[in-house]
């Protein structure tokens, strides 16, 4: 085997382990609570669905979305730098912990759930 192949296999293993491991919920050393995220996200389910796959046209799917992206989007809606009347109102009452937990919750859902 070439060293390029070995490197590719090592990278693949690291990826597999990091996506399969529950340690993924520990991101940049900040504690998150998936259960709390799911609870807090109940108000979001009407539009984004509990499984993160929206059935409403024009409403984005959140399942499996990049976690840091979800946090950034919620911060932007809360601050008003990203404008959408619905989401500005929805993000307003969210605390930092809420945003972290909700982002963790949706990011770990499967993009292609059994429907
Ligand atoms: C009444 C329907 C509705 C509710 C309730 C709702 N959303 Fe949204 N959400 C939307 C729509 C519509 C958009 C697209 C807005 C836009 O164009 O920026 C959106 C966008 C988003 C995005 C950005 C997604 C992306 O791909 O950029 C995130 C993150 C999000 N919502 C999270 C939440 C969370 C968390 C809650 C609950 C606290 C919530 N939403 C509640 C309708 C809703």
């Amino acid at each position: 085997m070439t060293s390029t192949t070995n490197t590719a296999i090592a990278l693949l293993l690291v990826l597999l382990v990091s996506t399969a491991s529950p340690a993924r919920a520990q991101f940049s050393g900040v504690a998150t609570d998936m259960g709390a995220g799911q609870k807090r996200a109940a108000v979001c389910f009407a539009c984004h669905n509990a499984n993160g796959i929206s059935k409403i046209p024009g409403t984005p799917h959140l399942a499996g979305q990049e976690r840091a992206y979800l946090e950034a989007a919620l911060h932007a809606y809360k601050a008003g730098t990203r404008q959408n009347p619905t989401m500005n109102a929805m993000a307003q009452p969210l605390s930092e912990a809420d945003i972290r937990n909700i982002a963790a919750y949706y990011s770990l859902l499967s993009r292609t759930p059994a429907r």
Side-chain angles (χ1 to χ4, degrees):
M1 249 191 303
T2 67
S3 66
T4 317
T5 314
N6 282 335
T7 309
I9 289 172
L11 276 174
L12 195 66
L13 282 174
V14 167
L15 270 177
L16 282 175
V17 168
S18 61
T19 49
S21 159
R24 200 167 163 235
Q26 293 283 328
F27 195 72
S28 58
V30 184
T32 56
D33 187 333
M34 297 274 299
Q38 183 175 24
K39 248 190 210 153
R40 194 65 179 88
V43 290
C44 322
F45 293 174
C47 297
H48 295 285
N49 230 336
N51 69 0
I53 307 291
S54 172
K55 291 187 175 142
I56 303 174
T59 301
H61 304 318
L62 303 180
Q65 182 54 275
E66 175 65 24
R67 180 170 162 167
Y69 173 85
L70 290 175
E71 289 188 13
L74 290 171
H75 282 135
Y77 285 128
K78 185 172 173 165
T81 51
R82 179 170 174 181
Q83 296 213 324
N84 175 268
T86 303
M87 279 311 304
N88 293 140
M90 292 309 302
Q92 206 48 57
L94 299 178
S95 70
E96 281 306 303
D98 291 337
I99 288 177
R100 236 173 15 240
N101 294 338
I102 291 173
Y105 169 69
Y106 274 121
S107 72
L108 293 173
L109 293 178
S110 168
R111 189 77 184 184
T112 52
R115 289 177 216 220

